[in-house]
Amino acid sequence: MTEKIKINVTKSVAAILAKDAEAFEFFKTDGTTFNKNALYTRIIVNYHNAFRAKEAELCGYLRKKLSQCKLSKADLDRLCYEVSSHLNKREAGANNEKFDCPLSLKPTKESEHIIEYIDNFLLGGGTLSEYFRNMFTSYASLPQDEREKIVFQPQYRALTEAIAQSKKVFLTLSRGGKTIEVSPYALSESKEELHVYLLSVRNGECFPLRLSRIISVTTLPASATFSQDQKDAFCKMITYGPQFRCGKHEGETKIRLTALGVELFKKMYVHRPMPTKTEGQDYYFQCSYAQIRQYFTRFGKEAHVLYPASTRRYMMDFHRSAVKQYYEKRE
């Protein structure tokens, strides 16, 4: 099977799939054009078993409830499929959305045999287009970090097993095909449910690595061990945000917020650090300096870094540079 399959989905599902192609960095060889078909292939290869089990569970429940009805097996199967299809369609078309966004799926060597199996045994009177519409809708209903685990399922499972066995791993990364050897400590989701991060030690330092940037995982025979300081650093990273390095890259920061700054802190939750204590409008943090810089640069004059001096200087230079740009580029 090599013909392209046209799949009509809702705008919201199409938007999530397009967003994932960007977030998970699926590019064509030019490095700029998104390779959506590669993403669709990964969903089919890694999610079809879970989706099929979900459908089978629903149909099994319906068969049990309808078993007393005098229906032939063929009629019962058809009815179960129609009910399941209706529920999937209702889920896909929530808020009266129409299925007016066409996707084009081209079978690949990886997905071709799965698509043929679905076509021959799982359609129950429906079409391939309907089946994949339901599969992609089910996938899109999950949080982004759960979708990342699906798309990069082989890497996630290999890392989970290596962590359970306390073994080092050899990784190939997507950026430039770089290879590294690390001691994996944990897999952790960001607080915003955006990405999954591998927390590991390399050359004695704790650092995070996004799951979507790991191409392959090879488990090594050497054992992975961690000092108490490293374990403490990882604990902070999991608490504050696994994407931000701790250890020597963190320390206490004191920030004085204006009244508006306090309101902004309550509302802006993405990458928001957790204060260890507050004294009026003075907020204290014990987390990565990078997290402080990334979060509070958005506050402008509503946040004033009191210490440490290095973070204070960074914020001053950042805003001074921005002001300079505005003065130099006036029209």
Side-chain angles (χ1 to χ4, degrees), residues 150-296:
I150 291 170
V151 174
F152 301 93
Q153 185 183 91
Q155 296 93 314
Y156 183 81
R157 287 180 173 175
L159 289 168
T160 299
E161 185 175 345
I163 291 167
Q165 296 176 352
S166 299
K167 296 295 185 181
K168 291 185 177 183
V169 293
F170 183 79
L171 307 178
T172 303
L173 308 182
S174 59
R175 295 190 170 182
K178 182 179 179 182
T179 58
I180 58 174
E181 180 181 316
V182 302
S183 295
Y185 179 79
L187 287 158
S188 179
E189 298 83 9
S190 62
K191 293 189 295 181
E192 301 81 15
E193 298 183 339
L194 295 177
H195 287 289
V196 180
Y197 290 86
L198 170 65
L199 305 183
S200 60
V201 170
R202 183 190 181 202
N203 297 329
E205 284 202 38
C206 302
F207 76 103
L209 186 60
R210 193 189 296 178
L211 176 64
S212 59
R213 291 176 178 162
I214 301 173
I215 295 177
S216 65
V217 180
T218 302
T219 303
L220 303 175
S223 297
T225 58
F226 308 94
S227 68
Q228 189 59 50
D229 287 344
Q230 290 168 342
K231 292 179 181 179
D232 292 342
F234 284 133
C235 183
K236 289 181 180 178
M237 292 172 71
I238 293 171
T239 300
Y240 287 99
Q243 63 270 51
F244 300 108
R245 298 174 71 175
C246 287
K248 69 178 184 180
H249 301 277
E250 54 94 10
E252 185 174 80
T253 301
K254 180 179 179 181
I255 294 181
R256 180 165 296 159
L257 300 176
T258 64
L260 177 56
V262 172
E263 292 303 312
L264 290 174
F265 186 80
K266 293 177 182 178
K267 296 176 181 178
M268 298 169 64
Y269 67 90
V270 176
H271 301 320
R272 179 172 59 197
M274 295 171 54
T276 54
K277 65 176 179 178
T278 60
E279 296 176 343
Q281 293 175 197
D282 289 348
Y283 283 61
Y284 297 80
F285 303 91
Q286 186 72 37
C287 63
S288 164
Y289 296 134
Q291 184 174 6
I292 293 292
R293 294 195 296 266
Q294 183 169 331
Y295 182 75
F296 282 106

Side-chain angles (χ1 to χ4, degrees), residues 94-109:
N95 302 319
N96 295 318
E97 284 189 271
K98 296 181 179 179
F99 303 100
D100 55 1
C101 287
L103 306 179
S104 180
L105 169 64
K106 181 175 176 56
T108 65
K109 289 183 179 180

